């Protein structure tokens, strides 16, 4: 009872409420601008929150990051330009719904699923943080390798009907991931003597080029009389209740996947979204369908995983003081500066503070719904503008987002080159999603493989010796075999077509 009174007393502070409201608006605006990720929104807050009290400082980052993750869905659905890497998994589905006149359904599904996933992970965070933190800390490089390898198998699920085209796209993404410094030895690779490539191609410029610039090129070269996107979004809330009930299984599955993946240090919301999307694509009866219901199932599942991963990342951060991702690393740094030492002793020395932080998760995700609707309405006005005005505006945001990564014009050149490549890939029916997945997971799979090999002196059996690692390894291998077998079955391909295309 004393702890409850302490938490309520802190939450009812007017200054805290103003910080949460201001951070929510800030996160929505930055998250909706392609290239300005949730991590960047959190990092930009540090010079301001350094002068705040401890709880408002942490609340600002929690709220801004949650809003930014959702806001990345808005340009993805309206313009096929994902605002954050986590939104890239289901951008094609959301944009497809928009072009067919169901923009409100695409954005409403993403909004309410994001809030649901965030609330679910907040509940898990408050009730089961120590247990899940123990599981997360039991993961070594072996488990992370198999988790990343299992994630790569998602490429076969999101590649569409052609396995060979999907694998070609995946290999291209993995090749992009090898550019830069070797993660173990630090040796430059495929940099061609350019210092700009020492840090790699960068996920944000490649993401902007593959999705946004390629779409601009496609629109510029398309028939002017071709069908355009609808001129209005429509009611966001209407019909969303039945849709959430119909896709309740996908919501719960995405929330669970997001929380578990988020609790693994270094995994992040983008990996959670891809895994949840791929599971919905293959394991769900609705998600397998290439219609409106199938698209909504996949969007809701992946969107729930997006925001659930944020709460999951705070599990090892609050229980053991180990950052679950880059955002929680910033939060831990701020907490130390403010005299709050995250870890087991925090639950004993100042339980009111830690449970206030948990409560802020609930407030931020509830606040996401009304503010998210207003943000969708504001950005929806873009649809009513002529293409001659919208395209230069989109290109400006593309350049701004790419330049903001490293503050160099080299990144702007990358989005141009990758944009042309993305256009050529789509013109030849080569899917883009596996390439992005390869770029995201490539560094993790390479680093964990090399680290494990160094520890075992080259003995490959180490990948199957640990219980969790061995289980994940068997599941991953079975997933690969099943993917090939399903593409080889005659019943799964049109008559007269080869087994692999």
């Amino acid at each position: 009872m004393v702890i409850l009174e302490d938490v309520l007393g802190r939450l009812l502070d007017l200054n805290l409420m103003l910080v949460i409201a201001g951070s929510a608006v800030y996160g929505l605006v930055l998250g909706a601008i392609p290239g300005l990720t949730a991590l960047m929104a959190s990092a930009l807050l540090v010079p301001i929150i350094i002068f705040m009290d401890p709880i408002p400082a942490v609340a600002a980052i929690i709220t801004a990051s949650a809003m930014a993750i959702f806001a990345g869905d808005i340009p993805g659905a309206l313009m096929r330009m994902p605002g954050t890497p986590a939104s890239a998994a289901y951008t094609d589905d959301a944009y497809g719904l928009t072009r067919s006149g169901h923009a409100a359904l695409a954005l409403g599904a993403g909004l309410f699923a994001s809030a649901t996933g965030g609330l679910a992970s907040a509940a898990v965070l408050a009730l089961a943080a120590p247990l899940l933190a123990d599981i997360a800390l039991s993961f070594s490089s072996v488990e992370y390798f198999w988790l990343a390898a299992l994630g790569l198998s998602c490429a076969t699920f999101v590649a569409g009907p052609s396995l060979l085209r999907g694998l070609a796209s995946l290999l291209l993404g993995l090749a992009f991931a090898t550019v830069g410094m070797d993660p173990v030895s630090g040796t430059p690779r495929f940099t061609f003597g350019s210092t700009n490539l020492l840090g790699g191609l960068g996920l944000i410029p490649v993401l902007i080029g593959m999705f946004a610039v390629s779409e601009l090129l496609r629109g510029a070269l398309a028939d002017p009389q071709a069908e355009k996107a609808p001129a209005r979004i429509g009611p966001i809330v209407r019909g969303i209740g039945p849709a959430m009930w119909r896709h309740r299984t996908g919501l719960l599955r995405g929330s669970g996947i997001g929380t578990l993946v988020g609790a693994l240090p270094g995994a992040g919301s983008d990996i959670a979204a891809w895994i949840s999307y791929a599971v919905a694509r293959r394991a769900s009866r609705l998600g397998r369908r290439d219609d409106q219901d199938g698209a909504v199932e996949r969007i809701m599942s992946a969107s729930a995983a997006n925001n659930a991963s944020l709460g999951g990342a705070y599990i090892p951060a609050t229980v053991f003081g180990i950052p679950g991702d880059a955002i929680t690393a910033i939060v831990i740094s701020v907490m130390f500066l403010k005299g709050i030492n995250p870890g087991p002793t925090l639950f004993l020395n100042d339980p009111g503070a830690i449970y206030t932080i948990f409560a802020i998760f609930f407030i931020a995700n509830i606040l996401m719904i009304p503010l998210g609707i207003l943000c969708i309405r504001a950005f929806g006005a873009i649809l009513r503008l002529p293409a001659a005005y919208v395209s230069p505006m989109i290109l400006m945001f593309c350049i701004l987002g790419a330049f903001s990564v490293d503050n160099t014009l080299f990144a702007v050149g990358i989005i141009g080159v990758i944009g042309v490549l993305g256009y050529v890939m789509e013109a030849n029916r080569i899917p883009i999603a596996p390439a992005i997945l390869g770029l995201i997971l490539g560094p993790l799979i390479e680093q964990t493989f090399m680290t494990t090999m160094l520890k075992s002196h080259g003995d490959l059996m180490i990948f199957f010796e640990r219980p969790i690692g061995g289980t994940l390894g068997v599941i991953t291998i079975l997933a690969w075999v099943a993917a090939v077998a399903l593409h080889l079955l005659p019943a799964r391909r049109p008559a007269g077509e080869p087994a692999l295309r």
Side-chain angles (χ1 to χ4, degrees):
M1 185 62 69
V2 175
I3 296 177
L4 179 60
E5 292 178 358
D6 184 19
V7 171
L8 289 175
R10 299 189 194 210
L11 290 176
L12 294 176
D13 180 56
L14 178 61
N15 180 51
L16 178 61
M17 292 294 105
L18 290 175
V19 167
I20 292 175
S23 301
V25 175
Y26 163 81
L28 286 170
V29 172
L30 261 71
I33 299 176
L36 303 185
T37 63
L39 173 59
M40 189 174 296
S42 302
L44 292 174
L45 276 175
V46 172
I48 300 173
I49 64 176
I50 204 71
F51 299 103
M52 295 181 182
D53 291 333
I55 298 300
V58 175
I61 296 181
I62 291 174
T63 307
S65 58
M67 297 294 175
I69 287 289
F70 154 69
D73 296 356
I74 299 175
L78 299 183
M79 299 174 289
R80 197 172 176 259
M81 185 167 56
T84 62
S87 305
Y90 47 92
T91 290
D92 283 339
D93 279 330
Y95 186 67
L97 288 176
T98 297
R99 291 187 63 82
S100 63
H102 299 96
L105 180 60
L107 290 166
L111 171 61
F112 283 87
S114 294
T116 302
L119 291 171
S121 71
V124 174
L125 176 64
L127 298 174
L131 175 62
L132 289 178
D134 282 336
I135 296 174
L137 290 178
S138 69
F139 271 52
S140 68
S141 59
V142 173
E143 285 77 20
Y144 278 109
F145 170 80
W146 284 121
L147 182 67
L150 185 61
L152 284 184
S153 66
C154 298
T156 62
F157 301 155
V158 301
S162 175
L163 178 60
L164 287 183
R165 289 193 180 96
L167 290 177
S169 179
L170 176 63
L171 291 175
L172 178 64
L174 291 173
F176 285 162
T178 62
V179 176
M181 304 286 284
D182 182 286
V184 176
S185 67
T187 305
R189 304 176 304 183
F190 308 113
T191 60
F192 305 101
S194 173
T195 56
N196 291 308
L197 287 175
L198 289 176
L201 290 176
L203 176 60
I204 297 302
V206 173
L207 196 68
I208 292 174
M210 281 281 188
F211 282 101
V213 176
S214 66
E215 182 65 20
L216 289 175
L217 288 173
R218 192 182 66 82
L221 299 174
D223 182 2
Q225 303 302 320
E227 181 182 358
K228 299 185 183 299
R232 61 188 297 273
I233 290 180
I236 301 294
V237 179
R238 182 186 301 170
I240 199 65
M244 290 184 68
W245 177 251
R246 179 172 174 77
H247 301 283
R248 60 190 181 278
T249 303
L251 276 172
L252 293 175
R253 183 179 57 243
S255 300
I257 291 174
T259 303
L260 289 174
V261 174
L264 302 175
S269 58
D270 43 359
I271 296 178
W274 280 105
I275 292 177
S276 184
Y277 180 89
V279 170
R281 184 85 183 179
R282 290 291 178 173
S284 167
R285 177 182 58 82
L286 286 173
R288 287 194 297 268
R289 292 162 52 175
D290 288 323
D291 58 5
Q292 178 178 309
D293 268 343
V296 173
E297 172 84 2
R298 296 188 293 271
I299 290 171
M300 282 193 166
S301 184
S303 295
N306 272 1
N307 273 59
S309 68
L310 293 179
Y314 279 82
I315 291 173
T318 54
V319 177
F320 293 102
I322 298 174
D325 59 6
I327 295 176
T328 52
I330 295 175
V331 171
I332 288 176
S333 300
V334 171
M335 292 174 74
F336 274 119
L337 288 174
K338 294 297 181 180
I340 300 178
N341 298 325
T345 57
L346 183 59
F347 287 82
L348 299 174
N349 298 334
D350 194 359
I354 195 65
Y355 284 106
T356 301
I357 292 173
F358 293 166
I360 290 169
F361 272 98
F362 289 97
I363 296 172
N365 283 282
I366 292 172
L367 193 61
M368 181 187 297
I369 295 176
L371 291 182
I373 292 174
L374 292 176
C375 186
I376 289 171
R377 289 293 176 203
F379 279 85
I382 295 174
L383 290 177
R384 296 190 289 271
L385 296 175
Y389 298 107
V390 175
S391 295
M393 188 187 309
I394 295 174
L395 184 59
M396 180 187 70
F397 281 126
C398 290
I399 295 173
L400 174 64
F403 184 81
S404 64
V405 176
D406 295 316
N407 293 326
T408 64
L409 290 175
F410 185 80
V412 178
I414 288 179
I415 69 169
V417 174
I418 297 296
V420 173
L421 177 62
Y423 172 78
V424 172
M425 289 173 65
E426 290 196 310
N428 290 277
R429 294 181 297 138
I430 298 175
I432 288 177
I436 301 299
L437 187 60
L439 183 61
I440 291 173
L441 293 177
L444 176 61
I445 215 171
E446 181 183 12
Q447 182 173 4
T448 53
F449 178 79
M450 294 299 295
T451 302
T452 305
M453 285 289 92
L454 289 173
K455 289 192 298 185
S456 67
H457 303 288
D459 183 8
L460 290 173
M461 288 307 298
I462 191 176
F463 289 102
F464 297 94
E465 290 175 353
R466 294 169 59 89
I468 299 178
T471 303
L472 285 174
V474 171
I475 293 173
T476 302
I477 293 172
L478 290 176
W480 293 343
V481 172
V484 175
L486 290 173
H487 278 80
L488 290 174
L489 286 176
R492 293 188 55 85
R493 60 180 190 274
E497 290 206 8
L500 296 177
R501 293 173 289 158

